[in-house]
Amino acid sequence: MVLKAFFPTCCTSADSGLLVGRWVPEQNSAVVLAVVHFPFIPIQVKELLAQVQQASRVGVAVLGTWCHRRQEPEESLGHFLEGLGAIFSHEPWLQLCRERGSKLWSCKVTHRQVPTSPDAPGEDQVMLIFYDQRKVLLSQLHPPTALPDHQAGDATASTRGLAAVFDTVARSEALFRSDRFDEGLVRLSHWQSEGVEASIIVELAKQASGPVCLLFAYLLSLISAASACRVFKLWPLSFICSKLSTCEQLRHRLEQLTFIFSTQKAENASQLMRKANMLVSVLLDVALGLTLLSWLHGKDRIGQLADALVPVADWVAEELQHLLQWLMGAPAGLKMNRALDQVLGRFFLYHIHLWISYIHLMSPFIERILWHMGLSACLGLTVSLSILSDIIALLTFHIYCFYVYGARLYCLKICGLSSLWRLFRGKKWNVLRQRVDSCSYDLDQLFIGTLLFTILVFLLPTTALYYLVFTLLRLLVVTVQGLIHLLVDLTNSLPLYALGLRLCRPYRLSAGVKFQVLEHEAGRPLRLLMQINPLPYNRVVHTYRLPSCGCHPKHSWGSLCRKLFFGELIYPWRQRGEKQD
Amino acid sequence: MEDELTFSDIYGGRLALLRRYYSPSCREFCLSCPRLSLRSLTAVTCSVWLAAYGLFTLFEQNKAFPAWPRVDSLNSGICRRPSGNLTAGVWLSLQNSMILSAAIFITLIGLLGYLHFVKIDQETLLIIDSLGIQMTSSYASGKESTTFIEMGKVKDVIINEAIYMSAKPRLDCLIEVYRSCQEILAHGKATPTSP
């Protein structure tokens, strides 16, 4: 089998020395991590490798020699390098050689135990695969291969294929800590040998994050304790809080903030990404909210909004009144039962009249209320949208009431009709057995039953029409609220940090690798360039989406139609308290 | 070493298969698709524009007569304020320019989307023994999408229906590629693994 040598691109111009890395026997591949330069003392090199092996649990060893020579081959260097094979015994021993300034490489593999077969062609023995060490170190494979626990020593045989290369490079950070400015005993060449990368801002942020997290965690614990106190568990408040979507959103945000500022460090990469995504999402939300706040509070827009609100409510009520007048007449040419029509129509008209009176009663206070609600935009845009959705729900409360009255009336009628229809045919609903049984009725039972059935049948069109009209209105309001909730959900669950990372640093999130064949000459080993294949955007969103409130409609279309037909009340969103997990 | 063969796809267009042999354990097959023809591009653009002009004339026919003022005031009973005529005229021209600019916009966006997501320029299959198989599709806008399957996950290479390969070559081309793949896989299995 061909031997694969993974060579970092940063070492292709390094001076001659020893190759240090890890040998993966299952895939017959050697992952070169660094080059040790002359002069060195073999004992010190072995000590360094033992240290690194202990710190990172990766079987780092000397794999072979690297020779970067000038035009004329130096015979002495060649013999010297071969002699090193005796000091650092490794099976197999790799000898890579490159002429300075040219793209010609040559590789030789010597096996100590097994003699090389004479007919094995030279250039087919080794395949060189170049990789960018920094990118492979920082990248994260998706789907993440199950890494063995760090206590299990060098048992990384379970990581298959190229994931082993990524794993090796990622865990050998201890080897990359020394650079050429260090006064160490051994001179190494790797991706950080020109100077360890660090950023002052990142370091400062890391130092500051400890106390900041503690402070915020303390504040958040106070807020959660305050919100969990007994007052909120009493009946009116808990009922209202469970119905308002603002409280849901605030609770969700509080949970997210508690998670972000918890003092435990993130255990693995996915938790870190979750924290980062939540933080960016909260920051963007607050930024958008502050923009909205500044827009609202400038140029007296709140006053304009409050001035427009009462006329809009009036207009809605007037339109409803016109609708009811239309229904009380001959709507769409249908002939209604006059008495029932008048009763229902007047009942609903009186309701509207009451509602208008309440709105007019509240109109002096509306501007103040709106001003204070506008302040809540500093908590985030999602909170403002939830408040808007709640305001819509409150303003259309009379539509909801009409829908409930119409639905209940219709439901009663349908129940009565179905039961009397059974009586008409001589059957009965057996509650014990949950099925329809035949039953013999008395004559007077049959007589009254038939009478009632006839009455209900003839009153059906009127009730059905009222029910239809108010259900349509209610569905309209529900659709508008649903769109707002969708927007809020989207803002809550979009992983902005992951998307930004994919845009700016695509090598961090990788779906795999891709190879490119470099210039090839006959007689020379095959050279490939391994690059990181970034994760496509839809997979990024799918993998890293944050859990949202989960207020999705629980019904399928079929069950919705069924409920509408039988007059059962529909609750489009189950609130968090009633949701079964 | 390289060699080039010509095949045809299921629609009769000309496909070129370029085979590169790097080493006994590495081969590359490059299938180039026919380019976007000027004829089809012109045809699509003309049809979109004709449709836009048709809509434009339709709107003009319907809306022109009630909106524009009658020049001879003797016959007309309609007497509008001048500013009303002006706004009506502005609205009409805005509607027309909206239709035409929408047509331009749709054509451009459609062309860009076609080039970026649909039109395949070249498909490459790279087989490296003991590493894996890599398939790259490069689109007309320069986008490249790559899939790499590790050798451990490949049991065998078979000819599935041509529908799945975006360049849609005919059977003779597929047989050629299939034969080469099997050669490499056999070569890989024959060489004993080192102890």
Side-chain angles (χ1 to χ4, degrees):
Chain A
M1 206 155 109
V2 178
L3 188 142
K4 301 180 281 258
F6 289 88
F7 199 78
T9 46
C10 48
C11 296
T12 49
S13 51
D15 289 330
S16 315
L18 285 178
L19 293 170
V20 162
R22 182 180 163 219
W23 168 249
V24 184
E26 297 85 22
Q27 286 133 43
N28 208 26
S29 59
V31 183
V32 176
L33 293 169
V35 174
V36 175
H37 295 296
F38 307 115
F40 58 83
I41 304 176
I43 303 283
Q44 285 170 348
V45 172
K46 286 189 184 170
E47 267 177 23
L48 174 72
L49 292 179
Q51 271 176 13
V52 170
Q53 188 156 351
Q54 202 182 23
S56 62
R57 303 255 171 215
V58 173
V60 184
V62 175
L63 296 172
T65 57
W66 161 244
C67 178
H68 193 195
R69 59 183 188 211
R70 280 135 193 107
Q71 295 295 71
E72 59 284 353
E74 297 161 5
E75 289 298 327
S76 54
L77 192 60
H79 287 301
F80 173 57
L81 290 175
E82 283 184 23
L84 281 173
I87 307 176
F88 299 102
S89 59
H90 187 263
E91 173 69 24
W93 186 250
L94 200 61
Q95 283 168 300
L96 295 176
C97 195
R98 181 190 172 190
E99 276 170 44
R100 200 172 278 275
S102 84
K103 294 206 176 113
L104 303 169
W105 289 62
S106 71
C107 311
K108 205 163 77 163
V109 180
T110 39
H111 295 263
R112 219 110 334 139
Q113 276 98 30
V114 177
T116 50
S117 46
D119 49 67
E123 76 269 17
D124 207 21
Q125 275 196 326
V126 187
M127 192 186 330
L128 277 172
I129 304 174
F130 297 108
Y131 69 98
D132 189 328
Q133 213 166 37
R134 176 170 173 264
K135 291 190 179 171
V136 168
L137 180 77
L138 293 172
S139 122
Q140 223 178 313
L141 273 179
H142 298 85
T145 48
L147 293 173
D149 2 291
H150 291 268
Q151 284 89 24
D154 199 26
T156 46
S158 54
T159 49
R160 309 236 2 233
L162 293 159
V165 176
F166 280 78
D167 185 43
T168 308
V169 177
R171 299 215 281 173
S172 316
E173 281 210 59
L175 191 62
F176 303 135
R177 272 198 210 122
S178 63
D179 56 18
R180 67 186 174 96
F181 302 106
D182 272 348
E183 296 294 329
L185 303 158
V186 180
R187 265 198 327 136
L188 286 171
S189 239
H190 46 73
W191 68 282
Q192 272 192 340
S193 54
E194 295 301 315
V196 175
E197 278 190 0
S199 152
I200 289 197
I201 299 178
V202 170
E203 295 300 317
L204 281 176
K206 275 191 197 163
Q207 293 294 326
S209 67
V212 164
C213 275
L214 274 175
L215 178 67
F216 273 107
Y218 177 64
L219 286 173
L220 287 170
S221 65
L222 280 180
I223 298 177
S224 341
S227 68
C229 76
R230 299 282 303 256
V231 172
F232 289 103
K233 297 273 191 298
L234 295 176
W235 181 74
L237 272 176
S238 69
F239 180 72
I240 295 175
C241 285
S242 69
K243 291 295 175 207
L244 287 176
S245 58
T246 316
C247 298
E248 271 309 307
Q249 180 61 22
L250 283 173
R251 202 180 307 162
H252 186 239
R253 278 288 182 234
L254 194 66
E255 270 178 27
Q256 281 190 335
L257 284 173
T258 324
F259 181 67
I260 295 173
F261 291 115
S262 71
T263 44
Q264 296 169 306
K265 267 184 84 73
E267 280 141 37
N268 52 9
S270 72
Q271 264 208 348
L272 193 65
M273 287 291 281
R274 263 186 83 189
K275 275 196 180 184
N277 280 324
M278 280 186 193
L279 185 65
V280 172
S281 155
V282 168
L283 285 175
L284 184 75
D285 201 18
V286 170
L288 285 175
L290 287 173
T291 321
L292 182 70
L293 187 73
S294 67
W295 180 82
L296 268 182
H297 282 255
K299 285 197 196 167
D300 193 31
R301 289 218 177 80
I302 298 247
Q304 287 172 7
L305 212 67
D307 286 339
L309 204 66
V310 175
V312 164
D314 270 345
W315 176 81
V316 168
E318 254 186 61
E319 290 301 314
L320 270 180
Q321 277 175 338
H322 288 155
L323 185 72
L324 283 168
Q325 300 284 1
W326 179 71
L327 280 176
M328 275 161 67
L334 293 170
K335 191 142 184 291
M336 318 279 276
N337 182 295
R338 274 205 73 74
L340 183 64
D341 215 359
Q342 295 287 324
V343 161
L344 287 176
R346 290 225 189 98
F347 173 64
F348 290 133
L349 276 173
Y350 182 61
H351 218 91
I352 293 178
H353 171 75
L354 275 177
W355 183 251
I356 289 291
S357 320
Y358 288 143
I359 293 274
H360 281 280
L361 211 66
M362 277 212 350
S363 59
F365 306 112
I366 284 190
E367 186 170 344
R368 278 285 112 196
I369 294 175
L370 275 183
W371 192 87
H372 287 291
M373 282 185 184
L375 276 187
S376 73
C378 68
L379 290 173
L381 185 69
T382 46
V383 177
S384 317
L385 284 176
S386 316
I387 289 187
L388 179 69
S389 156
D390 286 335
I391 288 179
I392 291 178
L394 281 177
L395 282 180
T396 56
F397 188 63
H398 47 337
I399 295 183
Y400 175 66
C401 283
F402 292 170
Y403 163 70
V404 170
Y405 301 150
R408 286 269 182 247
L409 211 59
Y410 180 75
C411 183
L412 269 174
K413 189 170 283 266
I414 292 284
C415 283
L417 270 176
S418 57
S419 135
L420 288 172
W421 172 244
R422 276 183 228 121
L423 177 136
F424 208 59
R425 288 156 47 223
K427 298 205 189 291
K428 193 177 83 161
W429 174 253
N430 190 338
V431 184
L432 205 62
R433 301 268 177 105
Q434 295 287 315
R435 65 169 189 208
V436 178
D437 276 341
S438 62
C439 172
S440 63
Y441 290 98
D442 293 338
L443 192 63
D444 42 357
Q445 281 174 332
L446 274 176
F447 183 60
I448 297 189
T450 316
L451 253 178
L452 285 174
F453 177 74
T454 327
I455 295 176
L456 284 178
V457 160
F458 288 133
L459 289 180
L460 185 66
T462 317
T463 335
L465 193 68
Y466 273 90
Y467 172 64
L468 184 72
V469 167
F470 291 130
T471 311
L472 285 175
L473 282 175
R474 171 84 184 132
L475 285 178
L476 185 68
V477 171
V478 161
T479 315
V480 169
Q481 274 192 303
L483 284 173
I484 297 181
H485 279 235
L486 203 68
L487 201 59
V488 169
D489 248 356
L490 193 69
T491 320
N492 273 342
S493 67
L494 204 62
L496 287 164
Y497 178 70
L499 284 173
L501 207 61
R502 167 68 183 83
L503 197 65
C504 306
R505 304 256 186 276
Y507 57 83
R508 291 280 295 266
L509 304 168
S510 74
V513 294
K514 54 188 176 190
F515 290 94
Q516 187 187 338
V517 181
L518 298 174
E519 268 182 41
H520 178 68
E521 279 188 19
R524 297 282 175 178
L526 183 65
R527 294 185 307 145
L528 300 166
L529 177 65
M530 180 171 93
Q531 287 165 314
I532 303 217
N533 202 10
L535 205 57
Y537 285 101
N538 53 344
R539 274 194 64 190
V540 172
V541 172
H542 183 72
T543 319
Y544 288 110
R545 45 172 329 146
L546 299 167
S548 62
C549 277
C551 307
H552 295 298
K554 298 277 179 231
H555 311 298
S556 64
W557 289 108
S559 73
L560 186 70
C561 290
R562 200 183 140 271
K563 285 200 174 187
L564 283 175
F565 183 71
F566 285 112
E568 289 171 28
L569 288 176
I570 42 174
Y571 298 103
W573 305 282
R574 284 259 156 251
Q575 304 297 332
R576 184 70 79 85
E578 299 153 48
K579 191 166 83 140
Q580 298 98 18
D581 239 299
Chain B
M1 55 187 219
E2 293 188 7
D3 63 345
E4 184 158 344
L5 301 165
T6 316
F7 294 97
S8 63
D9 67 1
I10 56 179
Y11 297 121
R14 199 177 142 266
L15 289 178
L17 177 71
L18 184 68
R19 280 189 308 191
R20 283 200 199 100
Y21 172 88
Y22 291 113
S23 79
S25 60
C26 177
R27 271 186 223 183
E28 190 177 23
F29 301 96
C30 193
L31 199 66
S32 321
C33 301
R35 301 296 169 109
L36 186 65
S37 72
L38 197 60
R39 202 182 305 171
S40 59
L41 185 65
T42 323
V44 171
T45 319
C46 285
S47 54
V48 172
W49 274 85
L50 278 174
Y53 270 115
L55 271 176
F56 163 73
T57 354
L58 208 68
F59 272 114
E60 206 179 8
Q61 291 283 338
N62 282 347
K63 297 253 172 93
F65 293 108
W68 286 114
R70 301 216 176 263
V71 177
D72 44 342
S73 52
L74 294 167
N75 297 346
S76 76
I78 307 166
C79 184
R80 290 180 195 261
R81 286 180 11 249
S83 63
N85 291 337
L86 201 62
T87 51
V90 164
W91 171 238
L92 188 63
S93 63
L94 192 68
Q95 269 186 327
N96 298 335
S97 65
M98 267 188 341
I99 295 177
L100 295 177
S101 19
I104 297 177
F105 198 61
I106 289 174
T107 317
L108 271 177
I109 297 284
L111 184 67
L112 282 176
Y114 178 69
L115 289 178
H116 194 72
F117 293 111
V118 177
K119 181 87 189 74
I120 296 214
D121 206 18
Q122 198 172 326
E123 275 192 320
T124 314
L125 185 77
L126 177 69
I127 308 178
I128 308 168
D129 185 25
S130 80
L131 257 186
I133 303 180
Q134 172 174 292
M135 290 173 288
T136 315
S137 308
S138 66
Y139 293 86
S141 64
K143 171 174 107 155
E144 285 194 4
S145 85
T146 317
T147 328
F148 180 73
I149 307 172
E150 292 189 43
M151 210 37 120
K153 297 197 181 130
V154 174
K155 272 191 160 170
D156 197 4
V157 173
I158 58 171
I159 295 183
N160 201 352
E161 291 181 43
I163 299 172
Y164 290 107
M165 197 170 170
S166 315
K168 300 187 179 63
R170 285 217 172 126
L171 190 63
D172 42 3
C173 178
L174 288 175
I175 286 181
E176 193 54 52
V177 175
Y178 174 73
R179 212 183 307 129
S180 307
C181 289
Q182 290 293 359
E183 267 175 37
I184 294 216
L185 286 178
H187 179 262
K189 287 197 185 91
T191 326
T193 57
S194 62

